Amino acid sequence: MSIMWTPVALSRDVPPLVVLPVVAGGRELALWRSASGRIAAWADRCPHRGMRLSHGFVRGEALSCIYHGWSYGAAGNCLRIPAHPDLEPPETIRVAVHVAAEAGGLIWVAPSAPEAPPPDPGALQPLRSLTVEAGTAAVLSLAGLAGDTLARGHLAGVEVTVAVQPIGPARCALHVLTGAAGAAERIALSRELDALRRRAEAGEMAA
Ligand code: FES
């Protein structure tokens, strides 16, 4: 089976020094950006005692676990164990690292390097992301959007491209991009997205 990219966030929503939990391909990941702007997606599990790295903190180019402060460098290798400051951490202590890339204002992740770069949504502006407690197919059908990872169509009379992130059988996230430049259009589109979420979560079916 070919390896697929999954969109997990708008680039602008993950500024330097931020770490947050995301789900891609059924895996829980800690998505974070270093001080220099490097994006990374790691298994959301500290090699020490399995606590969530997404609760951790970024300092410089390293992510540290909030629980006992073990810190990990760009390759997922353990850099420091505060309880043993003189110890050189063994190479075997490593976080499982996924591939992360940015394209078209979106952050994409994959379990290992896909053959092709992430899909390019074209010259569009990011609008917002929203999580919907409903399955991907039902949401796209209700919205009248066509496509798979990048679904396209019109909402509130405005052309949109939606990067679709399946999270579970009854949950997905939509990362919405649009060519609409005016504030009024963007507000109307955002309201339409909120209405779409309410209808999808109420179990409304496409006509
Ligand atoms: S669980 Fe992460 S440092 Fe202990």
Side-chain angles (χ1 to χ4, degrees):
M1 203 171 85
S2 62
I3 298 157
M4 304 286 290
W5 291 103
T6 301
V8 290
L10 297 177
S11 288
R12 65 154 191 228
D13 289 342
V14 191
L17 309 183
V18 161
V19 54
L20 52 91
V22 299
V23 173
R27 292 189 170 92
E28 294 182 316
L29 305 176
L31 182 70
W32 64 283
R33 192 186 294 278
S34 74
S36 72
R38 190 180 55 81
I39 198 79
W42 292 357
D44 196 3
R45 190 168 191 283
C46 178
H48 180 216
R49 292 193 187 163
M51 308 304 264
R52 287 190 181 279
L53 285 169
S54 57
H55 292 170
F57 55 94
V58 184
R59 202 170 270 158
E61 301 304 299
L63 176 63
S64 296
C65 179
I66 195 75
Y67 294 95
H68 312 97
W70 291 27
S71 65
Y72 302 92
N77 53 308
C78 186
L79 297 172
R80 187 167 179 271
I81 298 175
H84 303 281
D86 297 329
L87 178 77
E88 174 99 4
E91 268 292 308
T92 48
I93 303 177
R94 273 182 179 270
V95 185
V97 173
H98 289 238
V99 179
E102 295 186 85
L106 293 157
I107 300 171
W108 302 82
V109 305
S112 56
E115 287 169 9
D120 183 0
L124 297 170
Q125 294 302 311
L127 181 77
R128 59 180 283 203
S129 298
L130 71 163
T131 303
V132 184
E133 302 294 334
T136 306
V139 174
L140 293 184
S141 168
L142 194 60
L145 299 173
D148 191 1
T149 306
L150 285 181
R152 299 175 202 273
H154 290 79
L155 289 170
V158 173
E159 197 172 342
V160 293
T161 293
V162 177
V164 182
Q165 175 190 3
I167 297 178
R171 177 183 277 193
C172 63
L174 309 178
H175 308 287
V176 184
L177 305 133
T178 177
E185 272 182 313
R186 292 172 71 87
I187 290 168
L189 177 52
S190 191
R191 286 189 178 143
E192 181 73 16
L193 288 165
D194 289 332
L196 171 67
R197 171 166 54 190
R198 284 194 295 274
R199 290 166 59 205
E201 293 182 350
E204 193 174 316
M205 305 295 287

